[in-house]
Amino acid sequence: MRQARVLPGVLLGVLLSMMIVLSAQAEGTDAGNAADRQDAQALLKKIQAAAQKLNYSGTFIYQQANQIRTSRITHVLEGRNEIEKLEILDGQPREYIRRNEDVTGYMPETKTKIVEKRVTQDGFPAILAALPSDLSDYYNIKLGETGRVAGFDCQAVLLEPKDNMRYGYKLWAEKNSGLLLRAQTLNGKNEIIEQISFTQIGIGNVDHRSLKPSFGNTSSWHTESNVINPANLNEWSVTGMPAGFKKVRELKRLVTDGPPAKSSASASATAARREVSQLIFSDGLVAISIFIEPGSQSRTEGSLQQGALNIVGKRQGDYWLTIVGDVPPAAMRQVANSIELKNK
C-alpha cells in the first residue's frame, strides 16, 4: 500500500522531467529556427547587395519549359554609376547596355538603337527588390543545402510561399561574395518549372572595354526612343491582387507595331505607334503587370503559360487588357477578374 501511494509521485516526477526536457528541446528548436531564419535573411541581403555592387562577367542559361536561351552579362560599378551589358547569344544578335536607369538596345539586323528607361529592377542576378524582412511576411525563408554552381561553392536559400498565389524559389549564392549564381522557380509540387543559372562566371576584375557595343560605329543607325512617362491611372482598380503585391509603378508608353524598316529612318518614322498604359505590382520578388490599351484591334481572349510566366488577354469594355506575371494561373485569373474601370 505504501508503494502504491509513492508510485504516482514517482510517475509525476518522471512526467515533469520529460516535460522539462521536451520544453527545452522545443525552445532549442525555436531558437535554432530563428537563427536559421536570420542567417537566411542575411544571405538574401548579401545577394541583393552583391548584384549591384560587385564587378562580374559571365554566361548564363535561362530555361523556361522546353526553351533554353543563352546570354552573357558584364556588370561594373564605377563610383556611383552602375554599368551593365547584356548580350543575347541565341537567335538574332541583341545587346542592351544600361548606365544606371538609361538603357540602349542594339538591333544590328535593322541597324536600330532603341533608347528607353529601365522600368523594373528584377534582371538576373539582381532579382530582389524588397528587404528580406518584408518578404518573410509571404515566404518562409530558410537555408538549404550547399553545392557548386559554375565551379563555385554555393549556399542555397529557400523561399517557400505561405499561400498558393505565388511560386517557391531556391536561390544559390556564391559563398564568399553572395553573388546569385542560380535561381530556380518551384511549383506547388516542388518541381522546377523555370531556372536561370551561370555556366561560367568571373567575379572581380572586369575589362571595362567589354562594356562597349560589339558593332563598331553605330552613329549612322536609326535611333528610336521608347517614350515612357509616369502616369496617374487611379481610374483603374484591382481588388484581387494577391496579398503582399503593392503597386510600384504607373506608366504610359508609346509602342511601335512591328519591327523598324531596314531602309531608312523616314520609313520607320511612319510605323504605327500606339499608347499603352501599364500598372506594375510587386511583392518584392516577382511582378505582375497590367497593360491597358484601346480595344479597337481584333484579338481573341485567352491565356498562355510558359514556364513560370503566365499571360492573360481579355476585353474590358472599350479596352484590351494584357496581364503578365510570374505567378500561378489561379493568381492570374483572380487578378484578371478583379480589374475594374471606375465610373464607367
Side-chain angles (χ1 to χ4, degrees):
M1 294 294 294
R2 190 173 176 181
Q3 272 190 326
R5 285 196 296 270
V6 173
L7 191 57
V10 173
L11 286 174
L12 181 59
V14 172
L15 289 172
L16 287 172
S17 298
M18 291 176 63
M19 290 174 66
I20 291 170
V21 171
L22 290 172
S23 177
Q25 289 177 341
E27 289 178 2
T29 300
D30 290 343
N33 289 340
D36 181 81
R37 285 194 297 270
Q38 290 176 355
D39 290 344
Q41 291 191 13
L43 181 54
L44 286 182
K45 286 183 180 179
K46 197 172 181 180
I47 289 172
Q48 193 174 35
Q52 299 169 346
K53 297 180 179 179
L54 292 180
N55 294 350
Y56 51 88
S57 181
T59 302
F60 63 86
I61 57 170
Y62 176 46
Q63 184 174 2
Q64 185 189 56
N66 60 350
Q67 294 186 4
I68 297 177
R69 294 190 290 274
T70 312
S71 302
R72 181 166 50 238
I73 189 169
T74 303
H75 179 276
V76 167
L77 190 66
E78 289 184 344
R80 295 184 178 181
N81 294 316
E82 197 179 355
I83 306 170
E84 185 175 275
K85 178 182 177 182
L86 178 66
E87 303 168 74
I88 310 303
L89 303 180
D90 298 328
Q92 292 284 2
R94 294 281 189 277
E95 290 186 3
Y96 300 89
I97 297 178
R98 175 175 66 85
R99 185 177 181 88
N100 299 326
E101 303 306 305
D102 297 320
V103 181
T104 302
Y106 294 84
M107 318 297 172
E109 77 278 7
T110 57
K111 293 189 175 349
T112 300
K113 291 186 288 189
I114 298 178
V115 180
E116 61 186 1
K117 292 287 184 181
R118 180 168 67 159
V119 174
T120 59
Q121 301 179 9
D122 55 0
F124 181 80
I127 67 172
L128 296 173
L131 294 173
S133 56
D134 295 332
L135 291 174
S136 64
D137 290 337
Y138 309 102
Y139 298 88
N140 291 315
I141 303 173
K142 61 184 182 182
L143 294 178
E145 71 268 32
T146 58
R148 276 164 54 83
V149 177
F152 288 89
D153 291 331
C154 291
Q155 171 67 58
V157 59
L158 303 173
L159 293 94
E160 299 173 339
K162 293 183 177 181
D163 56 35
N164 62 355
M165 292 288 106
R166 62 200 87 215
Y167 292 118
Y169 297 89
K170 189 173 189 178
L171 310 179
W172 296 79
E174 198 272 316
K175 278 190 172 181
N176 293 324
S177 66
L179 185 66
L180 181 65
L181 299 189
R182 176 178 293 162
Q184 298 173 319
T185 306
L186 311 173
N187 63 14
K189 298 179 182 178
N190 214 34
E191 299 167 333
I192 299 172
I193 57 172
E194 186 173 296
Q195 67 177 324
I196 185 167
S197 179
F198 277 108
T199 56
Q200 176 276 325
I201 179 74
I203 303 173
N205 294 327
V206 172
D207 185 351
H208 289 210
R209 291 174 298 180
S210 62
L211 291 165
K212 295 181 179 180
S214 305
F215 310 111
N217 185 359
T218 62
S219 59
S220 63
W221 289 23
H222 167 65
T223 299
E224 181 178 303
S225 294
N226 277 354
V227 180
I228 302 175
N229 293 313
N232 184 340
L233 303 174
N234 287 337
E235 69 271 20
W236 291 94
S237 69
V238 187
T239 57
M241 195 61 61
F245 281 84
K246 301 177 178 64
K247 188 190 296 181
V248 294
R249 299 290 293 273
E250 295 176 289
L251 307 169
K252 286 194 175 181
R253 60 170 75 216
L254 288 176
V255 176
T256 302
D257 290 327
K262 292 184 179 181
S263 56
S264 68
S266 59
S268 60
T270 61
R273 305 194 85 186
R274 52 196 169 86
E275 187 178 72
V276 178
S277 300
Q278 182 181 4
L279 292 164
I280 305 173
F281 299 79
S282 175
D283 69 350
L285 182 59
V286 295
I288 299 174
S289 283
I290 300 171
F291 297 91
I292 307 164
E293 56 187 305
S296 57
Q297 297 182 352
S298 176
R299 297 177 177 178
T300 303
E301 293 188 342
S303 60
L304 173 68
Q305 181 173 6
Q306 185 74 29
L309 182 68
N310 280 279
I311 303 172
V312 176
K314 63 173 294 187
R315 193 168 297 280
Q316 183 96 351
D318 296 331
Y319 295 89
W320 179 262
L321 308 181
T322 304
I323 305 97
V324 181
D326 288 311
V327 294
M332 292 293 287
R333 289 192 297 269
Q334 177 176 296
V335 171
N337 293 333
S338 73
I339 304 171
E340 293 182 356
L341 180 59
K342 300 176 186 176
N343 302 323
K344 291 289 182 178

